């Protein structure tokens, strides 16, 4: 039962309870004697431990969560990117987002840390659809070309799974860097670690910005924000990227502006053969929200128009893996598209 899949099925509270409970159980075997480390390494590890021990934060984490946060955010603390963890703003399926007090290098009071769930590998249904044609990235965002590492990922060994997990995070971080640099409405990315990303925080100390799906817009505002989201979709395409999971759930609304978030599954319109279908779905989901806010658009022709504007070839076939047959919204969307509406 102690498998990543088991943990992924739990919601946040169940996960914390399970892990706290597990920590209480007596250990069946006495821990093995730790191997003696060579002196310089022992010194390095000793120093690291000391500095992590000083990392005490205001947020009252559950017992297991505390260790997980120390592991995931300890490096950001050591490098002074953050000075405190204040609260958990959201616990999601894949990750939890924490409000942190920013350290000296960041010109803001607060910063957001997205921390992926412990031992989780990305739980995307059909992850191959997004990974098609993609080179995997290491924890520094460099392409993985080494044979041994590639073999481990193909064989899905424990090490391979760890590399794949890091690759999703590296894609999220490097995409945000590239998009922020060209002026897209995304949080400013600051740093990446094995299991976490540090980025600009959208919101205030009372809470994070709501996602669009929680907001009802006025008519004029809806029209201008729709255009702004399309401008971002267009900008992403111009820089050879498709969000891949765009919807009102992954667009934050704050002080009249939109911010696109949640980028691990970005795909390339040139390389990924499923790209056009993924793109059509992104556009359809955005149109679906704005339709409810009184803005009418034809997602099918809009997607085709944007796609050809950038010289990409439309590929009419939709990868069957893209359709989440269990998702009523997905089924309705595709039906609408098939009927040419
Ligand atoms: N930069 C940010 N500033 C404020 N809140 C954020 C930020 N990034 C994410 N969030 C909050 O955390 C939630 C989950 O983040 P997201 O990146 O969408 O991860 P998931 O994969 O769990 O959906 C978002 O819906 C939003 O409420
Ligand atoms: Mg999300």
């Amino acid at each position: 039962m102690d498998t990543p899949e088991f943990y992924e099925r739990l919601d946040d509270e169940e996960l914390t309870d399970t892990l706290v409970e597990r920590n209480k159980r007596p250990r069946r075997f006495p821990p093995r004697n730790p191997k003696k480390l060579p002196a310089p390494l022992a010194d390095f590890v000793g120093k690291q431990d000391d500095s992590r021990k000083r990392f005490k934060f205001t947020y009252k984490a559950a017992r297991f969560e505390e260790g997980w946060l120390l592991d995931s955010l300890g490096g950001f603390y050591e490098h002074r990117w953050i000075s405190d963890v204040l609260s958990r703003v959201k616990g999601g399926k894949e990750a939890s987002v924490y409000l942190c007090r920013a350290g000296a290098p960041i010109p803001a009071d607060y910063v957001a840390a997205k921390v992926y769930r412990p031992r989780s590998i990305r739980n995307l249904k059909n992850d191959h659809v997004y990974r098609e044609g993609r080179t995997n990235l290491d924890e520094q965002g460099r392409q993985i070309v080494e044979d041994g590492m590639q073999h481990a990922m193909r064989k899905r060994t424990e090490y391979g799974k760890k590399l794949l997990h890091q690759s999703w995070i590296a894609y999220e971080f490097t995409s945000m860097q590239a998009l922020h640099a060209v002026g897209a409405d995304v949080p400013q990315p600051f740093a990446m670690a094995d299991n976490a990303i540090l980025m600009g925080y959208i919101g205030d100390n009372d809470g994070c910005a709501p996602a669009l799906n929680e907001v009802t817009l006025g008519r004029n505002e809806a029209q201008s924000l729709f255009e702004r989201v399309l401008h971002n979709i267009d900008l992403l395409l111009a820089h050879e990227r498709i969000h891949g999971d765009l919807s009102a759930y992954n667009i934050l609304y704050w002080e009249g502006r939109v911010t696109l978030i949640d980028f691990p599954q970005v795909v390339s319109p040139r390389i990924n053969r499923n790209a056009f279908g993924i793109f059509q779905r992104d556009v359809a989901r955005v149109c679906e929200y704005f339709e409810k806010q009184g803005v009418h658009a034809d997602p099918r022709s809009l997607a085709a128009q944007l796609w050809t504007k950038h010289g990409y070839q439309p590929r009419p076939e939709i990868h069957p893996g893209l359709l989440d047959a269990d998702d009523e919204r997905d089924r309705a969307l595709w039906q609408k598209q098939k009927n040419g509406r």
Side-chain angles (χ1 to χ4, degrees):
M1 123 171 166
D2 200 358
T3 60
E5 291 74 27
F6 167 73
Y7 288 104
E8 276 160 8
R9 279 199 299 273
L10 305 177
D11 68 24
D12 259 19
E13 253 170 55
E14 288 168 336
L15 175 77
T16 311
D17 290 350
T18 309
L19 292 162
V20 169
E21 209 40 53
R22 221 176 51 129
N23 281 351
K24 282 191 211 150
R25 282 187 215 149
R27 290 186 180 236
R28 231 182 287 165
F29 304 108
R32 277 191 294 166
N33 286 336
K35 284 206 182 99
K36 229 178 152 193
L37 294 166
L41 197 54
D43 188 38
F44 173 70
V45 171
K47 274 192 191 139
Q48 277 217 324
D49 282 356
D50 266 8
S51 128
R52 301 255 163 136
K53 263 182 223 148
R54 284 200 302 273
F55 182 24
K56 299 257 185 317
F57 39 77
T58 308
Y59 170 60
K60 295 269 169 289
R63 205 163 107 203
F64 173 80
E65 192 188 12
E66 186 169 336
W68 173 42
L69 287 180
L70 286 172
D71 263 6
S72 307
L73 303 181
F76 295 155
Y77 178 78
E78 279 170 39
H79 289 97
R80 307 281 183 272
W81 286 108
I82 58 172
S83 60
D84 197 0
V85 181
L86 301 171
S87 61
R88 184 169 69 171
V89 291
K90 268 290 158 39
K93 256 194 350 247
E94 314 280 357
S96 291
V97 173
Y98 294 85
L99 171 65
C100 302
R101 190 169 295 289
I106 296 177
D109 293 337
Y110 302 116
V111 69
K114 179 171 178 179
V115 185
Y116 281 78
R117 289 185 74 148
R119 305 218 268 143
S120 86
I121 46 169
R122 195 101 186 133
N123 191 24
L124 272 177
K125 269 190 197 160
N126 310 309
D127 71 345
H128 64 279
V129 174
Y130 301 88
R131 290 182 47 243
E132 209 271 326
R134 220 190 215 201
T135 324
N136 288 300
L137 302 180
D138 70 10
E139 75 280 9
Q140 255 101 44
R142 293 173 306 216
Q143 298 203 344
I144 297 179
V145 287
E146 208 257 320
D147 282 349
M149 291 160 100
Q150 290 197 350
H151 179 77
M153 288 186 286
R154 269 196 308 276
K155 293 285 168 203
R156 293 285 202 280
T157 62
E158 276 308 305
Y159 176 54
K161 285 186 199 163
K162 191 172 167 236
L163 290 173
L164 284 169
H165 176 67
Q166 271 175 4
S167 182
W168 288 112
I169 296 170
Y171 261 95
E172 172 151 40
F173 184 72
T174 53
S175 305
M176 283 171 68
Q177 273 183 317
L179 296 170
H180 188 262
V182 297
D185 297 320
V186 303
Q188 180 172 1
F190 293 112
M192 160 171 71
D194 284 5
N195 199 42
I197 283 176
L198 201 64
M199 62 181 134
Y201 174 72
I202 319 292
D204 58 20
N205 55 0
D206 286 335
C208 68
L212 269 186
N213 69 294
E214 300 166 60
V215 179
T216 305
L217 301 170
R219 189 63 182 273
N220 291 342
E221 194 181 22
Q223 182 64 40
S224 72
L225 289 184
F226 179 59
E227 282 162 21
R228 189 70 198 175
V229 173
L230 287 187
H231 162 73
N232 276 278
I233 293 177
D234 190 40
L235 196 57
L236 261 75
L237 263 194
H239 292 87
E240 299 207 3
R241 283 175 179 84
I242 295 164
H243 184 288
D245 188 19
L246 196 60
S247 73
Y249 291 84
N250 280 330
I251 302 175
L252 302 183
Y253 172 82
W254 189 247
E255 294 174 344
R257 303 175 67 139
V258 285
T259 305
L260 279 56
I261 57 162
D262 205 1
F263 285 88
Q265 64 288 303
V266 284
V267 297
S268 158
R270 279 199 198 289
I271 296 171
N272 189 312
R273 282 175 297 159
N274 313 309
F276 188 54
I278 295 174
F279 183 68
Q280 284 179 308
R281 189 184 56 183
D282 276 5
V283 173
R285 283 180 173 173
V286 166
C287 290
E288 188 199 22
Y289 167 76
F290 281 99
E291 177 91 35
K292 285 193 215 128
Q293 309 298 318
V295 181
H296 303 295
D298 175 2
R300 205 179 158 84
S301 66
L302 201 52
Q305 206 181 312
L306 284 164
W307 193 256
T308 44
K309 170 181 166 192
H310 292 282
Y312 302 125
Q313 294 303 312
R315 296 190 187 89
E317 77 278 14
I318 290 160
H319 192 292
L322 273 176
L323 178 66
D324 182 352
D326 299 335
D327 186 327
E328 204 180 300
R329 283 175 53 234
D330 260 12
R331 282 202 308 266
L333 271 178
W334 285 121
Q335 203 51 50
K336 240 179 168 176
Q337 291 214 11
K338 270 198 346 223
N339 298 340
R341 169 61 202 98

